[in-house]
Amino acid sequence: MRQPTTSTSRARGVDRVISLCEQLHLHREPMTPKELMAATGAPRSSVYELINLLSEAGWLETGSDGRIFFGRAMHYFGLDYADHNDLLRRARPVMRQLSARFDETTQLCMLDGDKYTVMLNENGARPFRISSEVGVKVPIPWTASGRVLLGGMPREAILGLVPEADFVLPSGEQIDIDAFLAEIEHTRQRGYALTEGLVDSFACCMAVPIHEGDTVARATLCFTVGRNADQARREALVEALREAAATLSHGD
Amino acid sequence: MRQPTTSTSRARGVDRVISLCEQLHLHREPMTPKELMAATGAPRSSVYELINLLSEAGWLETGSDGRIFFGRAMHYFGLDYADHNDLLRRARPVMRQLSARFDETTQLCMLDGDKYTVMLNENGARPFRISSEVGVKVPIPWTASGRVLLGGMPREAILGLVPEADFVLPSGEQIDIDAFLAEIEHTRQRGYALTEGLVDSFACCMAVPIHEGDTVARATLCFTVGRNADQARREALVEALREAAATLSHGD
DNA sequence: CGTTGTCGTCCGATATATCGGACGGTTGTC
DNA sequence: GACAACCGTCCGATATATCGGACGACAACG
């Protein structure tokens, strides 16, 4: 996940901390010290020492079953981040309102490396909702949001950014690159993206850009609704998204 | 903040990471590298290297003004924590509902070391609301929650836990220890705590315990309302808190 | 009940990360 | 335009953190 930029072995101590936390994040479940050893490749004694140090600082906690997971400190830090990020802070109430109004799941997504990432998620109350957890990363071509963000980007840049493998859907189906590029352009002109049954065959996703400055979309706002939503409803949803995005754009 | 338990100088690299993040958290504002040097006491080159490493991993981000703050990764980690903590996960919707129903600020607090800490905060919509940010730590004797949690704890344990200095209110007023102990006992028998004008002379705070097992309160749920709330309203609020706490108790 | 496997802690030699200081770039001042 | 102050990067000697392995505790098992 991280470039071997400078050198692989400069500041190993720090790397250890980072990779341990990344592993915990990837597994999304508390892990035993053993699993952490295997996952990080660090020797046993180092892992234990690290766990102790980080636990002492509240970065990690040991559950009653002996498994390790993130601790309170991470909660604080994460909230610090969310509070200081202008866009996230302002977006939350707007999204909450959108979700409540239409009773659908709203998400704010940003590009992180070569993947799309869910940064905020507000669930609608309906029982069979479609939603994904904050922090989930998805290949760009799988998402409506991806089509929005890539708008206006030259063909070469897109091909350079998106890994080959990401053009294959979970179903195994291959996304045609030229069709994808055409869709992006269409999306840009229309101002919003609409995808149906891409990742999930029953889902339909609408995304609009949130602009920073006047040039690039910094983030996208999207509804994910059942595929059965009729035309009128879709139009209403898109319109609401546009309005919301307009109030959030031009942020700082 | 951290005990000098084992030895002050074992694993300095890790300590650096920890103290840098703690400083960022304490300042609650993005910091320049210079400020970080001063705050952590680390030499210039070390701070820069650390910043680079952590930035590469997404733990830190550099704003347009060159200031450093937490990055996306922290957001993910923090949410992982909140998602995996049964109590927090279940509490959020309950609190949201409470806040909406009474239009007051609800908080879930837990003990962290010798301080009370706000773990979740749901604001009511009223304009002059009383609320504090998640992560804020408050001396135990200043809070209604503190009176709840200490219920049943022997005198010695309480005096051992609470630092001398924490019995002095921000106003400078000294809290009488015996009266405080009596209040704790009263609180325990009554099942809820009620404080008026302790930290803030206009605030009135109500707290009830959330039990784990059947013995200790693991957390408290509280309303913080204006002091002018009348008796009937207070009773209604406390009753709602009790109900909510009952559904959250006995969690796992 | 001896044996074997797993777990967490501890420790010293050695591989290695750290920090002082030098360097080149930029900005502000007289 | 010369000078000073500051910024971020880079690098090598050396102070120091790391990891292999030993240790005791505990549990499982034949």
Side-chain angles (χ1 to χ4, degrees):
Chain A
M1 194 134 304
R2 315 176 38 240
Q3 294 101 314
T5 39
T6 44
S7 81
T8 321
S9 64
R10 197 143 185 106
R12 186 164 57 204
V14 179
D15 272 338
R16 283 272 145 78
V17 179
I18 292 175
S19 75
L20 188 146
C21 289
E22 271 181 359
Q23 290 304 325
L24 277 180
H25 175 60
L26 288 176
H27 283 242
R28 303 200 138 254
E29 285 298 325
M31 295 169 78
T32 61
K34 201 181 197 173
E35 290 172 317
L36 280 171
M37 284 175 46
T40 61
R44 207 157 57 103
S45 40
S46 306
V47 171
Y48 276 110
E49 181 148 22
L50 204 46
I51 290 174
N52 288 337
L53 283 165
L54 293 179
S55 298
E56 222 173 281
W59 287 37
L60 300 179
E61 277 170 19
T62 305
S64 50
D65 58 352
R67 287 211 160 77
I68 314 287
F69 208 63
F70 291 118
R72 289 181 303 275
M74 289 302 188
H75 191 224
Y76 306 151
F77 298 160
L79 286 156
D80 284 343
Y81 170 77
D83 280 347
H84 273 276
N85 189 302
D86 260 2
L87 180 57
L88 295 191
R89 186 173 42 194
R90 289 181 338 211
R92 197 163 323 158
V94 173
M95 290 168 59
R96 199 168 289 176
Q97 199 185 324
L98 276 179
S99 281
R101 180 166 149 213
F102 293 102
D103 200 11
E104 297 285 2
T105 296
T106 328
Q107 297 186 327
L108 182 113
C109 302
M110 296 173 67
L111 195 62
D112 186 5
D114 62 4
K115 297 282 185 291
Y116 237 90
T117 311
V118 180
M119 296 301 282
L120 292 175
N121 177 89
E122 282 291 331
N123 285 328
R126 60 177 57 191
F128 299 110
R129 63 176 177 239
I130 301 156
S131 91
S132 41
E133 297 301 319
V134 173
V136 165
K137 291 189 199 307
V138 189
I140 301 175
W142 296 10
T143 64
S145 294
R147 285 161 175 69
V148 167
L149 186 98
L150 265 39
M153 200 180 276
R155 184 192 170 91
E156 279 66 33
I158 294 178
L159 296 182
L161 176 65
V162 181
E164 197 79 32
D166 286 1
F167 284 105
V168 181
L169 287 169
S171 63
E173 194 194 337
Q174 177 85 30
I175 296 177
D176 180 72
I177 294 188
D178 286 317
F180 177 65
L181 292 169
E183 248 187 288
I184 288 174
E185 181 54 19
H186 179 213
T187 292
R188 193 179 66 78
Q189 285 169 7
R190 182 170 62 171
Y192 69 93
L194 180 73
T195 61
E196 286 193 77
L198 226 50
V199 173
D200 182 322
S201 60
F202 293 107
C204 163
C205 188
M206 279 152 252
V208 301
I210 297 174
H211 290 284
E212 173 172 59
D214 295 280
T215 48
V216 285
R218 176 162 71 158
T220 64
L221 208 58
C222 66
F223 269 127
T224 306
V225 307
R227 199 168 177 175
N228 52 0
D230 64 31
Q231 190 60 28
R233 181 163 176 80
R234 289 181 182 187
E235 276 167 21
L237 292 172
V238 166
E239 195 45 44
L241 282 182
R242 299 180 97 129
E243 272 172 39
T247 73
L248 294 177
S249 289
H250 243 261
D252 40 323
Chain B
M1 194 137 300
R2 315 176 38 241
Q3 294 99 318
T5 39
T6 44
S7 82
T8 321
S9 63
R10 198 145 185 103
R12 186 164 57 204
V14 179
D15 272 339
R16 282 271 145 77
V17 179
I18 292 175
S19 76
L20 187 147
C21 290
E22 271 181 359
Q23 291 303 326
L24 277 179
H25 175 60
L26 288 176
H27 282 242
R28 302 199 141 257
E29 286 299 326
M31 296 169 78
T32 61
K34 201 180 196 175
E35 290 171 321
L36 280 171
M37 283 174 46
T40 61
R44 208 157 54 106
S45 40
S46 307
V47 171
Y48 276 110
E49 181 147 23
L50 206 46
I51 291 175
N52 288 338
L53 283 164
L54 294 179
S55 297
E56 222 173 280
W59 287 38
L60 300 179
E61 277 170 18
T62 306
S64 49
D65 58 352
R67 287 211 160 78
I68 314 285
F69 208 63
F70 291 117
R72 287 181 305 275
M74 288 303 188
H75 192 224
Y76 306 152
F77 298 160
L79 286 155
D80 283 344
Y81 170 77
D83 280 347
H84 272 277
N85 190 303
D86 260 2
L87 181 57
L88 295 192
R89 184 173 43 194
R90 290 180 339 210
R92 198 164 322 160
V94 172
M95 288 167 60
R96 200 167 288 175
Q97 199 185 322
L98 278 178
S99 281
R101 181 166 149 213
F102 293 101
D103 200 12
E104 297 285 2
T105 296
T106 328
Q107 296 186 328
L108 182 113
C109 302
M110 296 172 67
L111 196 61
D112 185 6
D114 62 5
K115 296 284 185 290
Y116 238 91
T117 311
V118 180
M119 296 302 281
L120 292 176
N121 178 90
E122 282 292 332
N123 285 328
R126 60 176 58 191
F128 299 110
R129 63 176 177 239
I130 302 155
S131 92
S132 39
E133 297 301 317
V134 172
V136 165
K137 292 188 197 310
V138 189
I140 301 175
W142 296 9
T143 64
S145 293
R147 286 162 174 67
V148 167
L149 186 98
L150 266 40
M153 200 180 274
R155 183 190 171 93
E156 279 66 32
I158 294 178
L159 296 183
L161 177 66
V162 181
E164 197 79 31
D166 287 1
F167 285 106
V168 181
L169 288 170
S171 63
E173 194 193 337
Q174 176 86 30
I175 296 177
D176 180 74
I177 295 187
D178 286 317
F180 177 65
L181 292 169
E183 247 186 288
I184 289 175
E185 183 54 21
H186 180 214
T187 293
R188 194 178 65 79
Q189 285 168 8
R190 181 170 62 170
Y192 69 92
L194 180 73
T195 61
E196 286 192 78
L198 228 49
V199 172
D200 183 322
S201 61
F202 294 105
C204 162
C205 186
M206 280 152 250
V208 302
I210 298 175
H211 290 286
E212 173 173 58
D214 295 283
T215 48
V216 285
R218 177 162 70 158
T220 64
L221 208 57
C222 66
F223 269 128
T224 307
V225 306
R227 199 169 179 173
N228 53 357
D230 64 29
Q231 190 60 27
R233 179 162 176 79
R234 290 182 179 186
E235 276 167 21
L237 290 172
V238 166
E239 195 45 42
L241 282 182
R242 298 181 97 129
E243 273 171 38
T247 74
L248 294 177
S249 289
H250 244 262
D252 42 324

